[in-house]
Coordinates of all heavy atoms in Angstrom, one line a residue:
I26 N -61.8 -32.7 -32.1 CA -63.2 -32.2 -31.9 C -64.2 -33.3 -32.5 O -64.0 -33.7 -33.6 CB -63.5 -30.9 -32.5 CG1 -62.5 -29.8 -32.0 CG2 -64.9 -30.4 -32.3 CD1 -62.6 -28.5 -32.6
T27 N -65.1 -33.7 -31.7 CA -66.0 -34.7 -32.1 C -67.4 -34.6 -31.4 O -67.5 -34.0 -30.3 CB -65.5 -36.1 -31.8 OG1 -66.4 -37.2 -32.1 CG2 -65.2 -36.3 -30.3
G28 N -68.4 -35.1 -32.1 CA -69.7 -35.1 -31.5 C -70.0 -36.4 -30.6 O -71.0 -36.5 -30.0
D29 N -69.0 -37.2 -30.6 CA -69.1 -38.5 -29.7 C -69.1 -38.2 -28.3 O -68.7 -37.1 -27.8 CB -67.9 -39.4 -30.0 CG -67.9 -40.0 -31.4 OD1 -69.0 -40.1 -32.0 OD2 -66.8 -40.3 -31.9
N30 N -69.6 -39.1 -27.5 CA -69.6 -39.0 -26.0 C -68.1 -39.0 -25.5 O -67.2 -39.5 -26.2 CB -70.4 -40.0 -25.4 CG -69.8 -41.5 -25.6 OD1 -68.8 -41.8 -25.1 ND2 -70.5 -42.3 -26.3
P31 N -67.9 -38.5 -24.3 CA -66.5 -38.4 -23.7 C -65.7 -39.7 -23.7 O -64.5 -39.7 -24.0 CB -66.7 -37.9 -22.3 CG -68.0 -37.1 -22.4 CD -68.9 -37.9 -23.4
L32 N -66.4 -40.8 -23.4 CA -65.7 -42.1 -23.4 C -65.1 -42.5 -24.7 O -64.0 -42.9 -24.9 CB -66.6 -43.2 -22.8 CG -66.8 -43.2 -21.3 CD1 -67.8 -44.3 -20.9 CD2 -65.5 -43.5 -20.5
T33 N -66.0 -42.4 -25.8 CA -65.6 -42.7 -27.1 C -64.5 -41.8 -27.6 O -63.5 -42.1 -28.1 CB -66.7 -42.6 -28.1 OG1 -67.8 -43.5 -27.7 CG2 -66.3 -43.0 -29.5
A34 N -64.7 -40.5 -27.3 CA -63.7 -39.5 -27.6 C -62.3 -39.7 -27.0 O -61.3 -39.6 -27.6 CB -64.2 -38.1 -27.3
A35 N -62.4 -40.1 -25.7 CA -61.1 -40.4 -25.0 C -60.4 -41.6 -25.6 O -59.1 -41.6 -25.8 CB -61.4 -40.7 -23.5
A36 N -61.1 -42.6 -26.0 CA -60.5 -43.8 -26.6 C -59.8 -43.5 -27.9 O -58.7 -43.9 -28.2 CB -61.6 -44.9 -26.8
I37 N -60.6 -42.7 -28.8 CA -60.0 -42.4 -30.1 C -58.9 -41.4 -29.9 O -57.8 -41.6 -30.6 CB -61.1 -41.7 -31.0 CG1 -62.2 -42.7 -31.2 CG2 -60.5 -41.2 -32.3 CD1 -61.8 -43.9 -32.1
A38 N -59.0 -40.5 -29.0 CA -57.9 -39.5 -28.8 C -56.6 -40.2 -28.3 O -55.5 -39.9 -28.7 CB -58.3 -38.5 -27.7
A39 N -56.7 -41.2 -27.4 CA -55.6 -42.0 -26.9 C -55.0 -42.8 -28.1 O -53.7 -42.8 -28.2 CB -56.0 -42.9 -25.8
E40 N -55.8 -43.4 -28.9 CA -55.3 -44.2 -30.0 C -54.6 -43.3 -31.1 O -53.5 -43.7 -31.6 CB -56.4 -45.0 -30.6 CG -56.0 -45.9 -31.8 CD -57.1 -46.7 -32.4 OE1 -58.2 -46.6 -31.9 OE2 -56.8 -47.4 -33.4
A41 N -55.1 -42.1 -31.3 CA -54.5 -41.2 -32.3 C -53.4 -40.5 -31.8 O -52.5 -40.0 -32.6 CB -55.6 -40.3 -32.8
G42 N -53.3 -40.3 -30.5 CA -52.1 -39.5 -29.9 C -52.3 -38.0 -29.9 O -51.3 -37.3 -29.9
V43 N -53.5 -37.5 -29.9 CA -53.8 -36.1 -29.8 C -53.6 -35.7 -28.3 O -53.6 -36.5 -27.4 CB -55.1 -35.6 -30.3 CG1 -55.3 -35.9 -31.8 CG2 -56.3 -36.3 -29.5
D44 N -53.3 -34.3 -28.1 CA -53.1 -33.9 -26.8 C -54.3 -33.6 -26.0 O -54.3 -33.7 -24.7 CB -52.3 -32.5 -26.9 CG -50.9 -32.7 -27.5 OD1 -50.2 -33.7 -27.2 OD2 -50.6 -31.9 -28.5
D45 N -55.4 -33.3 -26.6 CA -56.7 -33.1 -25.9 C -57.8 -33.3 -26.8 O -57.7 -33.6 -28.0 CB -56.7 -31.6 -25.4 CG -57.6 -31.3 -24.3 OD1 -58.3 -32.3 -23.9 OD2 -57.6 -30.2 -23.7
F46 N -59.1 -33.3 -26.3 CA -60.3 -33.5 -27.1 C -61.4 -32.7 -26.5 O -61.4 -32.4 -25.4 CB -60.6 -35.0 -27.2 CG -61.0 -35.6 -25.9 CD1 -62.3 -35.6 -25.5 CD2 -60.1 -36.3 -25.1 CE1 -62.7 -36.2 -24.3 CE2 -60.4 -36.8 -23.9 CZ -61.8 -36.8 -23.5
L47 N -62.4 -32.4 -27.4 CA -63.6 -31.8 -27.1 C -64.7 -32.7 -27.5 O -64.9 -32.9 -28.8 CB -63.7 -30.4 -27.7 CG -65.1 -29.6 -27.5 CD1 -65.2 -29.3 -26.0 CD2 -65.2 -28.4 -28.3
A48 N -65.5 -33.3 -26.6 CA -66.5 -34.3 -27.0 C -67.9 -33.6 -27.0 O -68.1 -32.5 -26.5 CB -66.5 -35.4 -25.9
Q49 N -68.8 -34.3 -27.7 CA -70.2 -33.8 -27.8 C -70.3 -32.4 -28.3 O -71.0 -31.6 -27.8 CB -70.9 -34.0 -26.5 CG -71.1 -35.5 -26.1 CD -71.8 -35.7 -24.8 OE1 -71.7 -34.9 -23.9 NE2 -72.4 -36.8 -24.7
A50 N -69.4 -32.1 -29.2 CA -69.3 -30.7 -29.7 C -70.3 -30.3 -30.7 O -70.5 -31.1 -31.8 CB -67.9 -30.5 -30.2
T51 N -70.9 -29.2 -30.6 CA -71.8 -28.7 -31.6 C -71.0 -27.6 -32.4 O -69.9 -27.2 -32.0 CB -73.0 -28.0 -31.0 OG1 -72.5 -26.8 -30.2 CG2 -73.8 -28.9 -30.0
P52 N -71.5 -27.2 -33.5 CA -70.8 -26.1 -34.2 C -70.5 -24.9 -33.3 O -69.5 -24.2 -33.5 CB -71.7 -25.7 -35.4 CG -72.5 -27.0 -35.7 CD -72.7 -27.6 -34.3
E53 N -71.4 -24.6 -32.4 CA -71.2 -23.4 -31.6 C -70.1 -23.7 -30.6 O -69.3 -22.8 -30.2 CB -72.5 -23.1 -30.7 CG -73.7 -22.6 -31.6 CD -74.4 -23.7 -32.4 OE1 -74.2 -24.9 -32.1 OE2 -75.2 -23.4 -33.2
D54 N -70.0 -25.0 -30.1 CA -68.9 -25.3 -29.2 C -67.5 -25.1 -29.9 O -66.5 -24.7 -29.3 CB -69.0 -26.8 -28.8 CG -70.2 -27.0 -27.8 OD1 -70.6 -26.0 -27.2 OD2 -70.8 -28.1 -27.8
K55 N -67.4 -25.5 -31.2 CA -66.2 -25.4 -31.9 C -65.8 -23.9 -32.0 O -64.6 -23.5 -31.8 CB -66.3 -25.9 -33.3 CG -66.6 -27.5 -33.3 CD -66.8 -27.9 -34.8 CE -67.3 -29.4 -34.8 NZ -67.5 -29.9 -36.1
L56 N -66.8 -23.0 -32.3 CA -66.5 -21.6 -32.4 C -66.0 -21.1 -31.0 O -65.1 -20.3 -31.0 CB -67.8 -20.9 -32.9 CG -68.1 -20.9 -34.4 CD1 -69.4 -20.3 -34.6 CD2 -67.0 -20.3 -35.2
D57 N -66.7 -21.5 -30.0 CA -66.3 -21.0 -28.6 C -64.9 -21.4 -28.3 O -64.2 -20.6 -27.7 CB -67.3 -21.6 -27.6 CG -68.7 -20.9 -27.7 OD1 -68.8 -19.9 -28.3 OD2 -69.7 -21.6 -27.1
L58 N -64.5 -22.6 -28.7 CA -63.2 -23.1 -28.4 C -62.1 -22.3 -29.1 O -61.1 -21.9 -28.6 CB -63.0 -24.6 -28.7 CG -61.6 -25.2 -28.5 CD1 -61.2 -25.0 -27.0 CD2 -61.6 -26.6 -28.9
I59 N -62.4 -22.0 -30.4 CA -61.5 -21.2 -31.2 C -61.4 -19.8 -30.6 O -60.2 -19.3 -30.5 CB -61.9 -21.1 -32.7 CG1 -61.8 -22.5 -33.3 CG2 -61.1 -20.1 -33.5 CD1 -62.3 -22.6 -34.7
R60 N -62.5 -19.2 -30.3 CA -62.5 -17.8 -29.7 C -61.7 -17.8 -28.4 O -60.9 -16.9 -28.1 CB -63.9 -17.3 -29.5 CG -64.6 -17.0 -30.8 CD -66.0 -16.7 -30.6 NE -66.7 -16.5 -31.9 CZ -68.0 -16.7 -32.1 NH1 -68.7 -17.3 -31.2 NH2 -68.5 -16.5 -33.3
K61 N -61.9 -18.8 -27.5 CA -61.2 -18.9 -26.3 C -59.7 -19.0 -26.5 O -58.9 -18.3 -25.8 CB -61.7 -20.2 -25.5 CG -60.9 -20.4 -24.2 CD -61.4 -21.6 -23.5 CE -60.7 -21.9 -22.2 NZ -61.1 -23.1 -21.6
E62 N -59.2 -19.8 -27.4 CA -57.8 -20.0 -27.7 C -57.2 -18.6 -28.2 O -56.1 -18.2 -27.9 CB -57.5 -21.1 -28.7 CG -57.9 -22.5 -28.2 CD -56.9 -23.0 -27.1 OE1 -55.9 -22.3 -26.9 OE2 -57.2 -24.1 -26.6
K63 N -57.9 -18.0 -29.1 CA -57.5 -16.8 -29.7 C -57.5 -15.6 -28.7 O -56.6 -14.8 -28.8 CB -58.3 -16.4 -31.0 CG -58.2 -17.4 -32.1 CD -59.1 -17.1 -33.2 CE -58.7 -15.8 -34.1 NZ -59.5 -15.7 -35.3
T64 N -58.4 -15.6 -27.8 CA -58.4 -14.6 -26.7 C -57.2 -14.8 -25.9 O -56.6 -13.8 -25.4 CB -59.7 -14.8 -25.9 OG1 -60.8 -14.6 -26.7 CG2 -59.7 -13.7 -24.8
G65 N -56.7 -16.0 -25.8 CA -55.4 -16.2 -25.0 C -54.2 -15.9 -25.8 O -53.1 -16.2 -25.3

């Protein structure tokens, strides 16, 4: 999860080896993602 733009986020995600990323994230976006995963 990062506040960076999608291109920067994609480059860092690829270098770090994470499975997915959420770019330009606000605190509200982080909460929404957690709630979405928990709902599933």
Side-chain angles (χ1 to χ4, degrees):
I26 300 177
T27 176
D29 291 335
N30 66 65
L32 282 174
T33 301
I37 297 295
E40 184 179 354
V43 296
D44 298 312
D45 202 353
F46 64 88
L47 176 66
Q49 295 178 330
T51 64
E53 292 78 12
D54 293 332
K55 298 176 186 180
L56 282 175
D57 289 341
L58 178 59
I59 291 174
R60 289 171 182 149
K61 178 182 176 183
E62 295 288 355
K63 293 175 75 170
T64 301

